Amino acid sequence: MEALQLGGHRLLVHIGLLFNLFVKYSYVPANFMQSTIIPLVKNKSGNLSDIDNYRAIAISTAVSKVFESVILSLVHSDSEVDQYQFGFKKGHSTAHCTDVLKRTTDYYISRGSHVFLCFIDFTKAFDKVNYWKLFIKLLDDSSIVSLLAFWYSHQQVCIRWRNTLSDWFLIQ
């Protein structure tokens, strides 16, 4: 990371050219697609044998993270629905969402109205997404999508448990 921070203008120009070639040819090198997954305990006083008590953190190379940031800055949505997204959005949190819900409910109850709520738990939904169907729907919209399709289809990970690394394997 220090090389990126202190590399100066010439390095940034070359990295910019490299990233543009990645997008143009929908290709990234193998080491960009390799991550190490580290399981972290959610609740240390909970059951350490329970798989639901862990969340996985993927660690990638510094240059890969910079490239991901560049892609993120290029991908934007004009959808009105996005303004209602609370989690995973800068300056927003699920705590903010909870506060809005509580104040809205209190407003209507204090005026004698009934309030009906419905909650949907999408905890496991991310694991069920068919990425190929998603990529096919998006392919007409952006050259970035074909790059992401390549990236996702060739992504390799290994697992680090304490000081031991597993073999590399493709994410299917």
Side-chain angles (χ1 to χ4, degrees), residues 106-119:
D106 290 346
Y107 174 84
Y108 285 102
I109 289 174
S110 70
R111 286 162 177 74
S113 181
H114 295 286
V115 177
F116 300 95
L117 300 170
C118 175
F119 295 95

Side-chain angles (χ1 to χ4, degrees), residues 36 48 59 63 80 89 110 113 117 126 128 143 148 154:
T36 302
L48 297 180
I59 299 175
V63 178
E80 186 179 307
K89 184 176 178 183
S110 70
S113 181
L117 300 170
F126 184 80
K128 306 285 188 245
S143 60
L148 292 174
H154 293 85

Side-chain angles (χ1 to χ4, degrees), residues 20-137:
N20 281 320
L21 289 171
F22 290 172
V23 173
K24 181 177 180 177
Y25 293 104
S26 300
Y27 175 83
V28 289
N31 64 344
F32 270 67
M33 297 180 285
Q34 290 182 328
S35 299
T36 302
I37 294 178
I38 300 173
L40 296 179
V41 177
K42 291 180 186 177
N43 180 3
K44 291 183 181 183
S45 61
N47 182 358
L48 297 180
S49 300
D50 182 6
I51 195 168
D52 291 328
N53 194 25
Y54 290 87
R55 65 184 172 103
I57 301 294
I59 299 175
S60 305
T61 64
V63 178
S64 178
K65 289 180 184 180
V66 171
F67 185 51
E68 290 172 16
S69 297
V70 170
I71 290 175
L72 183 61
S73 71
L74 297 174
V75 178
H76 65 314
S77 172
D78 297 325
S79 173
E80 186 179 307
V81 176
D82 289 347
Q83 67 183 327
Y84 302 111
Q85 170 73 32
F86 286 94
F88 308 106
K89 184 176 178 183
K90 190 173 186 174
H92 292 76
S93 69
T94 53
H96 179 70
C97 178
T98 304
D99 181 56
V100 169
L101 175 66
K102 185 179 180 325
R103 287 192 289 143
T104 303
T105 303
D106 290 346
Y107 174 84
Y108 285 102
I109 289 174
S110 70
R111 286 162 177 74
S113 181
H114 295 286
V115 177
F116 300 95
L117 300 170
C118 175
F119 295 95
I120 301 173
D121 182 4
F122 288 115
T123 305
K124 302 289 184 187
F126 184 80
D127 299 334
K128 306 285 188 245
V129 172
N130 184 329
Y131 293 105
W132 289 113
K133 285 185 180 178
L134 178 64
F135 288 139
I136 288 169
K137 287 185 184 275

Side-chain angles (χ1 to χ4, degrees), residues 133-150:
K133 285 185 180 178
L134 178 64
F135 288 139
I136 288 169
K137 287 185 184 275
L138 295 173
L139 269 175
D140 294 335
D141 296 339
S142 171
S143 60
I144 299 288
V145 176
S146 56
L147 171 72
L148 292 174
F150 177 82

